[in-house]
């Protein structure tokens, strides 16, 4: 069955925890739903009443700019109410457990919780214990499903289809929840994925996820349509996995010199935040190859789609985003 044949009303999931658990049809349904919301974002009044009366809490226990603001805007543009909890100002500092914090938030009649945490599995723990929907906004090195969905949405916007698209994921694969979610999503949709980076930053057995592996960035860049460049995650690295950032830039960074040798139409993506001058030279991040800010814009539409599918009226009527505007 193609995604177009799945009625929105058949979306049965309470939570979005990762792309590993989604079928290709479910991923396409999210992308197609996001198409409609992407159009809403171009209107003078960027708001529809799809989640009127619902309340969404953002629980971010790790720093975030893009994901937190994007979820907040997505909720507001669907007319939901929002509340935010940050670890540094919460009662976690007084000894309250994470689960107690979440249960207390839910007791305030919250319908969905968006959670980011440094430990893998926290969203799954909350999903088991809450009646509210739980959305993973990044858990440790495990998954960042909405980032991968917005990355895939941006590739689909550019190329039409993911089938046969050649995508490289470059950099710190070992510590990257973005890489893991991208690999699950892209391979399910038929893209051909190559991971490339220093041997110390690529986990053993990665090929079992259905990807090719290379340590030669120039060879890979010569034969792909898209390169998704990952941030060097200094905060998650234990030990000396890199000799120096200067050497990393020379061997794996997208420098202007390296970009002079790649195919003209190569698309450069990055989930952000960018370490300018390390994995991406500023002239590349801001250059004609880059779709980084398109990714950010698309992220709002993708998160609107996820919130809507998890919590909305879940009917095509509810999808009539051209309807009443509050
Ligand atoms: N891509 C991403 O997750 O960015 P933030 O850490 O700013 O949310």
């Amino acid at each position: 069955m193609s995604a177009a044949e799945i009625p929105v009303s058949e979306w049965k999931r309470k939570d979005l925890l990762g792309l590993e658990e989604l079928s290709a049809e479910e991923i396409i349904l999210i992308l197609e739903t996001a198409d409609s919301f992407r159009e809403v974002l171009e209107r003078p009044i960027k708001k529809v009443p799809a989640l009127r009366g619902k309340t969404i809490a953002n629980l971010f226990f790790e720093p975030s700019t893009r994901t937190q603001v994007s979820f907040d805007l997505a909720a507001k543009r669907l007319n939901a109410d929002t509340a935010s909890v940050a670890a540094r100002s919460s009662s976690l500092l007084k000894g309250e457990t994470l689960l107690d914090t979440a249960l207390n938030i839910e007791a305030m009649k919250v319908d969905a919780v968006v959670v980011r945490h440094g430990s893998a599995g926290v969203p799954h723990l909350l999903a088991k214990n809450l009646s509210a929907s739980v959305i993973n906004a990044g858990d440790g090195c495990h998954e960042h499903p909405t980032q991968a969905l917005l990355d895939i949405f941006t590739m689909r916007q550019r190329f039409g289809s993911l089938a046969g698209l050649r995508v490289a994921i470059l950099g710190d694969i070992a510590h990257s929840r973005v890489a893991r979610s991208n690999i699950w999503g892209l391979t399910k949709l038929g893209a051909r994925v190559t991971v490339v980076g220093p041997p110390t930053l690529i986990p053993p057995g990665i090929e079992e996820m259905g990807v090719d592996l290379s340590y030669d960035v120039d060879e890979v860049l010569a034969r792909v349509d898209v390169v998704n460049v990952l941030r060097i995650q200094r905060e998650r690295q234990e030990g000396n996995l890199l000799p120096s950032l200067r050497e990393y830039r020379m061997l794996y960074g997208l420098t202007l010199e390296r970009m002079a040798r790649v195919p003209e139409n190569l698309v450069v993506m990055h989930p952000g935040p960018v370490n300018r001058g390390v994995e991406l030279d500023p002239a590349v991040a801001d250059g004609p190859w880059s779709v980084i800010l398109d990714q950010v814009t698309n992220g709002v539409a993708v998160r609107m789609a996820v919130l809507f599918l998890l919590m909305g009226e879940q009917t095509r009527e509810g999808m009539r985003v051209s309807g009443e505007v509050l």
Side-chain angles (χ1 to χ4, degrees), residues 12 17 48 91 114 122 241 254 256 273 293:
K12 298 291 184 212
L17 303 177
V48 290
S91 290
V114 179
V122 163
L241 298 177
L254 290 199
L256 264 186
L293 293 179

Side-chain angles (χ1 to χ4, degrees), residues 10-293:
E10 287 189 12
W11 179 271
K12 298 291 184 212
R13 288 184 187 273
K14 174 176 90 71
D15 311 298
L16 178 66
L17 303 177
L19 294 199
E20 180 177 7
E21 67 195 27
L22 295 193
S23 66
E25 289 77 13
E26 286 173 301
I27 294 171
I28 293 170
L29 179 59
I30 295 171
L31 300 176
E32 289 181 348
T33 307
D35 283 335
S36 303
F37 289 123
R38 183 66 186 80
E39 183 267 314
V40 170
L41 297 181
E42 297 303 324
R43 297 183 191 168
I45 297 172
K46 303 166 182 56
K47 210 159 179 177
V48 290
L51 293 187
R52 181 169 44 193
K54 303 283 186 185
T55 306
I56 298 163
N58 281 320
L59 273 55
F60 277 68
F61 301 111
E62 266 194 345
S64 170
T65 298
R66 278 148 291 272
T67 312
Q68 186 164 4
V69 174
S70 185
F71 267 113
D72 193 49
L73 285 177
K76 288 186 164 89
R77 285 172 178 172
L78 293 168
N79 230 63
D81 296 316
T82 60
S84 292
V85 177
R88 65 184 173 281
S89 57
S90 77
S91 290
L92 286 166
L93 294 182
K94 301 178 198 165
E96 184 170 60
T97 67
L98 177 68
L99 187 52
D100 275 340
T101 299
L103 287 167
N104 277 267
I105 298 288
E106 182 177 53
M108 296 180 215
K109 305 297 177 193
V110 159
D111 300 288
V113 170
V114 179
V115 62
R116 168 171 289 191
H117 200 281
S119 298
V122 163
H124 305 70
L125 172 75
L126 298 191
K128 275 198 193 101
N129 287 281
L130 301 184
S131 306
S133 291
V134 175
I135 301 158
N136 182 359
D139 63 326
C141 301
H142 178 228
E143 282 228 36
H144 191 347
T146 58
Q147 178 66 47
L149 288 166
L150 75 89
D151 291 344
I152 293 169
F153 182 95
T154 305
M155 293 181 217
R156 183 171 162 272
Q157 188 179 50
R158 191 78 172 210
F159 294 97
S161 166
L162 272 292
L165 192 71
R166 299 162 301 175
V167 181
I169 304 177
L170 166 62
D172 182 359
I173 310 293
H175 299 91
S176 178
R177 54 199 179 202
V178 174
R180 222 167 300 282
S181 289
N182 262 273
I183 291 170
W184 286 122
L186 287 167
T187 54
K188 284 175 192 206
L189 298 187
R192 291 156 51 194
V193 180
T194 303
V195 298
V196 56
T200 50
L201 294 182
I202 297 193
I206 189 81
E207 297 100 317
E208 286 164 26
M209 292 184 78
V211 299
D212 294 327
L213 165 63
S214 174
Y215 304 118
D216 182 345
V217 66
D218 293 300
E219 176 273 319
V220 171
L221 293 181
R223 62 173 169 81
V224 294
D225 304 299
V226 179
V227 57
N228 201 349
V229 184
L230 303 174
R231 180 172 69 89
I232 291 297
Q233 301 194 35
R234 281 173 272 189
E235 74 275 21
R236 290 193 215 283
Q237 289 183 18
E238 292 162 7
N240 294 321
L241 298 177
L242 290 174
S244 72
L245 294 181
R246 192 161 161 269
E247 185 166 323
Y248 182 84
R249 174 179 177 270
M250 203 170 65
L251 293 175
Y252 293 98
L254 290 199
T255 59
L256 264 186
E257 186 200 12
R258 179 159 277 128
M259 293 305 289
R261 302 193 294 268
V262 305
E264 198 183 343
N265 296 328
L266 179 69
V267 170
V268 174
M269 305 179 70
H270 192 300
V274 174
N275 291 309
R276 285 177 176 251
V278 182
E279 68 263 5
L280 272 186
D281 275 8
V284 179
D286 304 328
W289 313 272
S290 171
V291 294
I292 293 171
L293 293 179

Side-chain angles (χ1 to χ4, degrees), residues 302-317:
V302 163
R303 290 176 175 121
M304 288 171 81
V306 167
L307 293 173
F308 173 76
L309 288 168
L310 291 173
M311 308 163 64
E313 287 306 308
Q314 301 172 353
T315 63
R316 287 286 174 197
E317 187 61 21

